[in-house]
């Protein structure tokens, strides 16, 4: 028998904007809440793919950047004591004889009375560099996600990629690092023209059209990389401290198909309560689907409290599904 102190009321799978808002709202309903995220940072696709791009369809904001939206959602979550489990992937979900869900991850087992799945388009993972010895440097001097800008202070950094994320990070690190290189296999970038023009007017050194050919270093510390012309034989070696590879991210629903919830293609079918085919498991955001579904962040923000309120009612049938208005509550500063 699992002790009550080890059982969470609501476990949210997925730490994107919808999962973050669901965690906040679960706190509003005084639910003991846990959030499990595969990445080392919160924010999902918004934080990873367009942190500095402007979003216009969020209620209450005339315009807001991705990173500002995640900053505000983080502050909102921090009003309550949500347990965060980062860099954990849920591998299996089962309900035991006590009607408690057992969530097996790559790090252990979590117990919960209900589950809300908010994994968006699936678990995100970076597209990695397929060079010899790459794994040796990963998470040390070879990075796929930038989550601590200060570590690049006064260092030489090379960024490889041609999309918005690569260009945005190059511009961000220009004022932090000693030297920034931006490497792309084509002369033309896929990023917004305005930010590409900013790069051209900056101190960032463009290296195009080149691709990484080899990595050199000792232990887990890179010292240099060899670049080769994308359609030629010339090579170039640059000394560096950090190499940031921004090839984008792939997403996958992974083991979701084995969790016994009904799917439509790669999305979870839900009813008007955001409830799946498994009693006690709910879904919200892009991972969920129903007749007439519109995929917007704003839609997910509406679905999250529906899922939370019905999860609370599932756990405590005596509780009203309809919550008090937030204007009736107060928070300590």
């Amino acid at each position: 028998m699992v002790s009550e102190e080890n059982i969470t009321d609501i476990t949210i799978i997925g730490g994107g904007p919808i999962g973050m808002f669901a965690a906040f709202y679960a706190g509003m309903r005084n639910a003991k809440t846990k959030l499990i995220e595969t990445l080392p940072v919160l924010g999902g696709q918004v934080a990873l793919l367009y942190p500095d791009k402007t979003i216009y369809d969020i209620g209450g904001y005339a315009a807001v950047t991705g990173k500002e939206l995640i900053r505000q959602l983080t502050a909102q979550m921090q009003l309550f004591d949500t347990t965060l489990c980062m860099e954990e992937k849920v591998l299996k979900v089962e309900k035991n004889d006590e009607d408690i869900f057992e969530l097996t991850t790559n790090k252990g087992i979590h117990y919960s009375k209900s589950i809300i799945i908010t994994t968006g388009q699936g678990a995100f993972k970076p597209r990695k560099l397929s060079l010899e010895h790459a794994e040796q440097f990963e998470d040390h001097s070879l990075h796929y996600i930038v989550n601590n800008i200060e570590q690049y202070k006064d260092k030489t950094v090379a960024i490889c990629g041609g999309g918005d994320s690569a260009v945005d990070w190059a511009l961000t690190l220009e004022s932090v690092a000693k030297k920034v290189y931006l490497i792309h296999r084509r002369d033309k970038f896929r990023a917004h023209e305005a930010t590409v023009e900013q790069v051209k007017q900056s101190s960032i050194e463009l290296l195009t059209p080149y691709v990484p050919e080899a990595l050199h270093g000792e232990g887990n510390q890179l010292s240099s990389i060899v670049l080769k012309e994308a359609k030629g034989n010339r090579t170039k070696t640059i000394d560096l401290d950090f190499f940031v590879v921004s090839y984008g991210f792939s997403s996958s629903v992974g083991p979701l198909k084995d969790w016994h919830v009904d799917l439509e293609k790669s999305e979870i079918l839900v009813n008007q309560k955001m409830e799946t085919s498994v009693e006690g498991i709910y879904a919200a955001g892009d991972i969920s689907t129903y007749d007439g579904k519109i995929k917007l962040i704003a839609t997910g923000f509406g679905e999250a409290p529906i899922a939370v309120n019905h999860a609370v009612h599932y756990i405590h049938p005596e509780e009203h599904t309809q919550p008090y208005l937030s204007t009736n509550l107060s928070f300590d500063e």
Side-chain angles (χ1 to χ4, degrees), residues 49-236:
L49 302 187
Y50 45 94
D52 293 303
K53 294 297 175 281
T54 303
I55 305 170
Y56 296 99
D57 56 1
I58 304 296
Y61 289 100
V64 62
T65 62
K67 65 183 176 185
E68 175 61 18
L69 177 63
I70 300 308
R71 190 184 72 80
Q72 291 286 352
L73 285 165
T74 300
Q76 196 173 38
M77 278 182 61
Q78 289 172 345
L79 291 169
F80 302 103
D81 187 22
T82 301
T83 299
L84 297 179
C85 302
M86 308 303 293
E87 297 185 86
E88 283 201 53
K89 182 178 181 180
V90 179
L91 304 173
K92 185 168 63 173
V93 172
E94 294 180 315
K95 186 182 282 189
N96 64 25
D97 294 338
E98 300 170 4
D99 272 349
I100 298 298
F101 289 103
E102 297 182 357
L103 297 88
T104 303
T105 76
N106 56 312
K107 293 186 177 181
I109 299 177
H110 302 270
Y111 301 93
S112 189
K113 296 175 183 177
S114 67
I115 295 171
I116 300 177
I117 303 171
T118 59
T119 51
Q121 296 176 15
F124 271 76
K125 61 180 180 181
R127 293 189 175 95
K128 295 190 174 185
L129 197 62
S130 56
L131 288 180
E132 189 178 9
H133 306 307
E135 290 186 2
Q136 171 183 333
F137 303 107
E138 285 177 5
D139 300 325
H140 298 282
S141 50
L142 170 59
H143 297 162
Y144 298 104
I145 298 172
V146 175
N147 57 19
N148 177 15
I149 291 176
E150 285 304 307
Q151 69 184 315
Y152 305 106
K153 186 175 177 61
D154 299 327
K155 302 294 184 180
T156 298
V157 184
I159 300 172
C160 191
D164 287 315
S165 294
V167 171
D168 288 344
W169 283 123
L171 288 168
T172 299
L173 295 179
E174 183 197 11
S175 62
V176 177
K178 178 174 66 176
K179 173 70 178 178
V180 176
Y181 296 97
L182 181 57
I183 305 158
H184 186 39
R185 61 195 173 105
R186 297 190 180 97
D187 289 320
K188 186 174 177 60
F189 287 81
R190 303 186 310 276
H192 285 196
E193 292 87 346
T195 51
V196 173
E197 187 58 33
Q198 279 182 262
V199 168
K200 291 178 179 178
Q201 301 300 321
S202 73
S203 64
I204 297 165
E205 185 171 341
L206 289 174
L207 297 174
T208 63
Y210 282 97
V211 294
E213 173 82 352
L215 308 174
H216 296 295
E218 291 187 8
N220 54 31
Q221 180 56 54
L222 278 166
S223 58
S224 65
I225 60 173
V226 178
L227 305 175
K228 181 179 178 294
E229 278 187 312
K231 294 183 178 180
N233 295 314
R234 286 192 303 174
T235 62
K236 180 188 291 285

Side-chain angles (χ1 to χ4, degrees), residues 1 65 244 285:
M1 178 180 290
T65 62
V244 178

